[in-house]
Amino acid sequence: MSDLPLDQVKTLLAVVDEQSFDAAAAVLHVTPSAVSQRVKALEQRTGRVLLLRTKPIQLTASGQVLVRFARSLAQLEQDALAELGLGAAGTRTLSIAVNADSLATWFLPALTGIAEDQDVCFDLQREDEDHTATLLREGLVMAAVTASPQPVQGCTSHRLGRMRYRAMASPGFIARHLADAPLTATLPAAPVIVFDRKDDLQDRFLRALTRRRTFTMVRHHIPASESFADAVAAGLGWGMVPELQAGPRGDALVDLAPDRPVDVPLHWQQWKLDSPALAAVAEAVARAAKESLR
Amino acid sequence: MSDLPLDQVKTLLAVVDEQSFDAAAAVLHVTPSAVSQRVKALEQRTGRVLLLRTKPIQLTASGQVLVRFARSLAQLEQDALAELGLGAAGTRTLSIAVNADSLATWFLPALTGIAEDQDVCFDLQREDEDHTATLLREGLVMAAVTASPQPVQGCTSHRLGRMRYRAMASPGFIARHLADAPLTATLPAAPVIVFDRKDDLQDRFLRALTRRRTFTMVRHHIPASESFADAVAAGLGWGMVPELQAGPRGDALVDLAPDRPVDVPLHWQQWKLDSPALAAVAEAVARAAKESLR
């Protein structure tokens, strides 16, 4: 197999991005049947199953390789057109994975400045910082804010800084649940708020505090960053709140253990691509991180 | 088949909730191999494939029926134990699907008041209001804020009110993109912010404004409610912002079409279950909606 039919590769990319054959067809201005035929033809040519026709559609390992290739290709093509002054629609899409707390605090201002300069549009995907690298590996994004410093294959990795979290609760919650005994005794039994099932910050804090392994308290799941901090301030439970979010809430949040902050190191990983737009974003993100992170 | 082995049914529920056999094993205090055997035994007993061992794990239609049954069972069991004063761990889990904008505005205060009274913990899942009913149907949640008034099978449906959105942009964005001609000419070409690929509010507004069907402007995807409003205020694009979020941002947001608000009717759907905890939540949600929605 000496080359890959580019229309078929781009069709695969559209199916993954739009999450259905019908939607991909609409974007590509062809029929859903043509989309299906192109993907099948690409599978026959490569001799591999590329995606599972489940809902949501899932890429196989071979499909991930081709989608990463397709996304790099699209970026290079867009950059070349822009350089030639031919980027008519002007929409170079930069798909970036970012953790919810970064998105809610320091990350967004980095993007707003450069969108118009660089003529790009941002396709942000929100994911736990321990799992953004997976999106990078699977070719679903071309850059990511990750917890891991280990570069994903084909990517570069740069340190952004540490995001500091503090165990916090409302004054009313402390009076109800934490006032009668030391924190090591009361906190493991008090209601806790966690972001989602991937969020282990609260458990990590408790393990370090108590040297115990497992905890069976009431757990609320609040999967939105601002709402999480609001719920802690409203007294629904205690939780690990980013310092950057705690400040604006003033006295509604009390630091339960001022000498025990939890720092989450964050890194910027991106594909090795000679793309001016991606480089501009990387620079703006590094600058914003330097201002807000430790 | 006269009855279902309840330990197997509960194991299936744990696998779905924890999203892996290993995590389900940890929660149930058994080995991963025991979890796998129980699910297989349940599949043999029912003669159906119940879940696809993909990542994320996916339920088949038969699996969905059993998970709904398992969740109802768990709720009834917890209620009975609580009535007998035996709800030791005290954790009746209420899993609820809610759209991001409701979660960011009026929904959370409804929950904080009753968590301690009712001794429940909340497992919130964030999903587009057009798709929350699907989570209800698939048995992944027991109640949901939905756009559709049509009750999912086995559920009741009550109207909550209308959430009002307004097409908004920053003063700087208006000067750069919208000042030279009427909105019908400028807006379809101006950069827009959408929440994610399920969010069609912006397109609906444009279709009503222009009577055209498709649009090819720069689209940014910002999948977090507060960040979405922040990005509009920062001038990244225009977007449909909930009135409830626009107020606090003052002059940073300008209403582009005061005579063209878009109202999204919201409904509360829940399983037909005689559960005091679920009833208390439904009542609190209805009360909060009455205060904040139209």
Side-chain angles (χ1 to χ4, degrees):
Chain A
M1 184 183 66
S2 62
D3 63 336
L4 292 162
L6 297 185
D7 64 322
Q8 294 174 10
V9 172
K10 284 182 177 176
T11 302
L12 179 69
L13 181 64
V15 169
V16 170
D17 279 349
E18 303 301 324
Q19 278 296 312
S20 85
F21 282 66
D22 287 356
V27 168
L28 298 170
H29 304 290
V30 298
T31 63
S33 148
V35 169
S36 177
Q37 281 165 21
R38 286 185 196 170
V39 173
K40 262 186 220 152
L42 192 58
E43 290 187 319
Q44 282 164 357
R45 191 175 185 94
T46 56
R48 310 280 178 88
V49 175
L50 299 175
L51 47 77
L52 305 177
R53 274 88 173 158
T54 50
K55 210 176 161 192
I57 283 166
Q58 289 183 78
L59 287 170
T60 63
S62 303
Q64 289 171 15
V65 172
L66 286 187
V67 163
R68 283 174 61 173
F69 165 66
R71 213 179 289 280
S72 293
L73 170 77
Q75 183 66 26
L76 293 173
E77 197 176 29
Q78 287 173 343
D79 283 348
L81 285 172
E83 222 174 298
L84 294 170
L86 296 173
T91 48
R92 283 175 289 180
T93 298
L94 293 182
S95 48
I96 304 173
V98 56
N99 61 310
D101 289 333
S102 289
L103 181 54
T105 53
W106 64 272
F107 189 77
L108 196 62
L111 302 189
T112 48
I114 56 172
E116 305 239 343
D117 288 352
Q118 290 290 330
D119 223 9
V120 294
C121 65
F122 295 110
D123 184 4
L124 300 190
Q125 309 216 19
R126 210 193 56 158
E127 181 55 276
D128 188 275
E129 64 271 18
D130 289 326
H131 297 80
T132 44
T134 306
L135 299 184
L136 207 55
R137 192 172 304 117
E138 292 177 350
L140 297 175
V141 296
M142 56 176 60
V145 175
T146 69
S148 163
Q150 300 303 329
V152 169
Q153 205 192 344
C155 292
T156 59
S157 171
H158 294 285
R159 183 182 161 75
L160 291 171
R162 286 168 294 133
M163 187 135 176
R164 176 156 285 186
Y165 290 78
R166 292 190 173 277
M168 306 198 96
S170 72
F173 183 88
I174 292 172
R176 281 199 306 283
H177 292 281
L178 308 175
D180 295 341
L183 209 58
T184 47
T186 53
L187 201 62
V192 67
I193 309 179
V194 298
F195 188 84
D196 59 20
R197 285 182 168 72
K198 292 174 182 168
D199 172 17
D200 67 347
L201 267 186
Q202 285 69 218
D203 279 336
R204 275 160 60 187
F205 177 82
L206 278 184
R207 278 196 294 270
L209 181 74
T210 63
R211 315 242 158 222
R212 282 166 47 197
R213 294 276 303 282
T214 56
F215 308 95
T216 55
M217 72 293 256
V218 171
R219 279 168 191 265
H220 302 290
H221 289 95
I222 310 273
S225 188
E226 290 290 330
S227 303
F228 180 100
D230 288 343
V232 174
L236 189 64
W238 71 276
M240 300 303 295
V241 179
E243 265 186 355
L244 294 168
Q245 282 182 312
R249 287 177 172 79
D251 296 340
L253 291 175
V254 177
D255 191 345
L256 299 175
D259 54 338
R260 288 181 172 272
V262 173
D263 285 352
V264 175
L266 295 177
H267 301 81
W268 176 258
Q269 295 204 24
Q270 67 175 59
W271 294 353
K272 289 174 188 158
L273 261 186
D274 186 18
S275 161
L278 191 53
V281 172
E283 197 187 307
V285 166
R287 209 163 41 231
K290 199 171 175 186
E291 271 172 33
S292 299
L293 302 180
R294 286 170 175 269
Chain B
M1 186 184 64
S2 62
D3 64 335
L4 291 163
L6 297 185
D7 64 322
Q8 294 174 8
V9 171
K10 285 182 177 177
T11 302
L12 179 69
L13 180 64
V15 169
V16 169
D17 280 349
E18 302 300 324
Q19 276 296 309
S20 85
F21 282 66
D22 287 356
V27 167
L28 298 171
H29 303 292
V30 299
T31 63
S33 148
V35 170
S36 177
Q37 281 165 21
R38 286 186 197 168
V39 172
K40 262 185 223 152
L42 191 58
E43 290 187 320
Q44 281 163 359
R45 190 176 186 95
T46 56
R48 310 281 177 89
V49 175
L50 299 176
L51 47 79
L52 305 178
R53 273 89 174 159
T54 51
K55 209 178 160 189
I57 284 166
Q58 290 184 75
L59 287 169
T60 62
S62 302
Q64 289 170 14
V65 172
L66 286 188
V67 164
R68 282 174 61 173
F69 165 66
R71 215 179 288 280
S72 293
L73 169 76
Q75 183 66 27
L76 293 173
E77 196 176 28
Q78 286 172 344
D79 283 347
L81 284 172
E83 221 172 299
L84 295 170
L86 297 173
T91 49
R92 283 176 288 180
T93 298
L94 294 181
S95 49
I96 305 174
V98 56
N99 61 311
D101 288 333
S102 289
L103 180 54
T105 54
W106 64 273
F107 189 77
L108 196 61
L111 302 190
T112 48
I114 55 171
E116 306 239 345
D117 289 353
Q118 291 290 330
D119 223 8
V120 293
C121 65
F122 296 110
D123 185 3
L124 300 191
Q125 308 217 18
R126 211 194 55 160
E127 182 54 276
D128 188 275
E129 64 271 17
D130 289 326
H131 297 79
T132 44
T134 306
L135 298 185
L136 208 54
R137 192 173 304 116
E138 292 177 350
L140 297 175
V141 296
M142 57 176 58
V145 175
T146 69
S148 162
Q150 301 304 327
V152 169
Q153 205 192 344
C155 292
T156 59
S157 171
H158 293 287
R159 183 183 161 76
L160 290 172
R162 285 170 295 132
M163 187 136 176
R164 176 156 285 188
Y165 289 79
R166 293 189 172 278
M168 306 199 94
S170 72
F173 183 88
I174 293 172
R176 282 198 307 282
H177 292 281
L178 308 175
D180 295 341
L183 210 58
T184 47
T186 54
L187 202 61
V192 67
I193 309 179
V194 299
F195 188 84
D196 59 20
R197 288 185 165 72
K198 291 174 182 167
D199 172 18
D200 68 346
L201 268 186
Q202 284 72 218
D203 280 335
R204 274 161 61 186
F205 178 82
L206 277 183
R207 279 197 293 270
L209 180 75
T210 63
R211 315 244 158 220
R212 282 165 48 196
R213 294 277 302 282
T214 56
F215 308 94
T216 55
M217 72 293 255
V218 171
R219 280 169 190 263
H220 302 290
H221 289 94
I222 310 273
S225 188
E226 290 289 330
S227 302
F228 181 100
D230 288 343
V232 174
L236 188 66
W238 71 275
M240 302 301 295
V241 179
E243 264 186 354
L244 294 168
Q245 282 182 312
R249 285 175 174 78
D251 296 340
L253 292 175
V254 177
D255 191 344
L256 298 175
D259 55 335
R260 287 180 173 273
V262 174
D263 286 350
V264 174
L266 295 176
H267 301 81
W268 176 258
Q269 295 203 25
Q270 66 176 61
W271 295 354
K272 287 175 189 158
L273 262 185
D274 186 17
S275 160
L278 191 54
V281 172
E283 195 187 309
V285 167
R287 207 162 43 227
K290 199 171 176 188
E291 271 172 33
S292 298
L293 302 180
R294 285 171 176 269

